[in-house]
Amino acid sequence: MKNRLPVLLILATVIIDAMGIGLILPVMPDLIREVTGGDLGAAAIWGGVLSTVFAFMQFLCGPLLGNLSDRFGRRPVLLISLTVMSADYVIMALAQNIWVLVIGRIVAGITAATYATAMAYMADISSAQDKARAFGIVGAGVGIGFVLGPAMGGILGQFGTRAPFWAAALLAGGNALLGYMVLKETVSAANRRTFEWRRANPLGALYALNHLPTMTKLLVVFFLYQVAAAVYPAIWAYFVTERFAWEEGMIGLSLSTYGLCYAIVQAALIAPTIKWFGNRRAVIIGLALEVFALIYIGFVPTGMLLLMGIPIAALASVGLPALQGIMSRRVADDAQGELQGISSSLTSLAHVLAPLVMTQAFAYFSADHAPLYLPGAPFLLAAVLMVLSLGVFMNSRRGT
């Protein structure tokens, strides 16, 4: 890193953003049941719809925002996104029916560029050998945010399902104000590129990557990983409510526990893991641990054993920054925003597909008429996808 101040500013941005997301997770099952009047299975399906529309808009707009940040800078894209995000939380806090929540998630999906822009910012200020470590720092910020956010959401949820949304709106607004005052631009004449609609088209951008043979398999690995990992935000709150009858406070505690473990792994273990094993082996280790963690959660019999398995699930996250570092090193410096925009689109596409499939699987296997009562079925499905991801990576070109 050339200096620490930009890193600290981006870290604060990601932490506050993740806090806003984590704040609302513990109350989503109750909020959806409140506005729809349905049961938990129906609430999970609606939760999948909300996640899907959000992710679909991210898929459509991710390359656009990534390319806009390559042309006009990271700073304006980040500040506008945060401002609209704050307004979106206000809309959700006031929602009285499910369709207002749907509209709110559409708006949020259009402007949810904070993570991808933060990743591009970190790529701008990092040398080639430090990129994986830089992405690990961003991941640590997400983990810290998920420590604080769910814990606060579980507490605030005791005062009503809307309280966490007001808190999230304040956090996002405060984050925008902080960024306006102190965030400096990293796009200069040396790494600025012209804006082209061809690169901003999500389908066109993905098609263009077919002409990059060194990237194709890595992007398949990344996509399968994201589909599998999407089971956590899509299902967790509904799964623990159904399986262990946890309420908002316990849901928040479990998410905070994962966030704490995740932050420790990202902040303290990414660099030594890559140093000891190299990027390629770090990816293999991470994917293998993901498979084990997902199978464990799928069959875990008690809430206490679930909590005990959370550190293993967090440790599995060592693979993703290594994979992102490999991908980032294979593109030019003036295309980092485009790469992160495309990565964001792949993540969003995964989050379009996964919530619908995972929530349907949960609703089916947790229903009274299910041939087999298995609320953890979505995690087992995710484990199968993670095995496929590992297989593709093992078959990819070595020397990474």
Side-chain angles (χ1 to χ4, degrees), residues 164-221:
F165 291 90
W166 290 112
L170 290 174
L171 284 172
N175 195 18
L177 181 61
L178 174 66
Y180 178 79
M181 293 188 295
V182 299
L183 195 63
K184 295 183 179 180
E185 184 57 66
T186 60
V187 175
S188 62
N191 64 340
R192 189 182 304 276
R193 71 191 304 184
T194 58
F195 178 84
E196 296 181 17
W197 282 107
R198 174 180 56 83
R199 288 196 295 262
N201 178 348
L203 297 179
L206 296 177
Y207 176 77
L209 288 174
N210 290 329
H211 302 289
L212 301 175
T214 61
M215 292 290 290
T216 303
K217 288 185 178 179
L218 293 180
L219 287 166
V220 171
V221 173

Side-chain angles (χ1 to χ4, degrees), residues 34-79:
E34 177 184 315
V35 299
T36 63
D39 60 15
L40 185 62
I45 293 174
W46 271 114
V49 171
L50 293 176
S51 297
T52 293
V53 297
F54 176 86
F56 183 67
M57 298 313 298
Q58 276 191 309
F59 169 70
L60 291 180
C61 299
L64 171 64
L65 295 172
N67 278 276
L68 286 174
S69 77
D70 282 339
R71 172 62 180 88
F72 298 104
R74 319 297 184 208
R75 187 175 186 271
V77 171
L78 190 61
L79 296 182

Side-chain angles (χ1 to χ4, degrees), residues 179-391:
Y180 178 79
M181 293 188 295
V182 299
L183 195 63
K184 295 183 179 180
E185 184 57 66
T186 60
V187 175
S188 62
N191 64 340
R192 189 182 304 276
R193 71 191 304 184
T194 58
F195 178 84
E196 296 181 17
W197 282 107
R198 174 180 56 83
R199 288 196 295 262
N201 178 348
L203 297 179
L206 296 177
Y207 176 77
L209 288 174
N210 290 329
H211 302 289
L212 301 175
T214 61
M215 292 290 290
T216 303
K217 288 185 178 179
L218 293 180
L219 287 166
V220 171
V221 173
F222 181 84
F223 176 71
L224 290 173
Y225 180 99
Q226 294 294 348
V227 174
V231 70
Y232 290 105
I235 290 298
W236 187 267
Y238 307 96
F239 169 70
V240 296
T241 299
E242 171 67 26
R243 188 70 180 84
F244 309 116
W246 286 358
E247 297 183 351
E248 292 92 346
M250 195 62 193
I251 295 172
L253 175 63
S254 65
L255 290 169
S256 294
T257 301
Y258 176 82
L260 177 60
C261 295
Y262 182 90
I264 293 172
V265 170
Q266 296 292 310
L269 296 183
I270 298 300
T273 299
I274 292 174
K275 180 180 179 180
W276 296 335
F277 299 104
N279 282 287
R280 182 177 177 82
R281 289 179 180 173
V283 174
I284 294 172
I285 291 169
L287 292 175
L289 286 173
E290 290 281 9
V291 173
F292 175 82
L294 288 165
I295 294 174
Y296 179 90
I297 294 171
F299 290 114
V300 67
T302 68
M304 181 58 66
L305 288 176
L306 177 62
L307 291 174
M308 292 172 62
I310 284 176
I312 300 174
L315 182 61
S317 66
V318 297
L320 184 58
L323 177 63
Q324 291 169 316
I326 291 170
M327 294 185 343
S328 180
R329 287 159 52 187
R330 292 191 180 181
V331 301
D333 289 341
D334 66 354
Q336 292 298 324
E338 181 180 21
L339 173 63
Q340 297 307 327
I342 293 170
S343 298
S344 177
S345 282
L346 285 173
T347 302
S348 299
L349 183 59
H351 287 193
V352 169
L353 301 174
L356 294 177
V357 175
M358 301 300 182
T359 55
Q360 289 286 347
F362 171 80
Y364 180 78
F365 283 100
S366 62
D368 294 336
H369 57 75
L372 173 65
Y373 179 74
L374 188 62
F379 294 97
L380 301 179
L381 175 59
V384 172
L385 295 174
M386 204 66 78
V387 169
L388 292 176
S389 179
L390 177 59

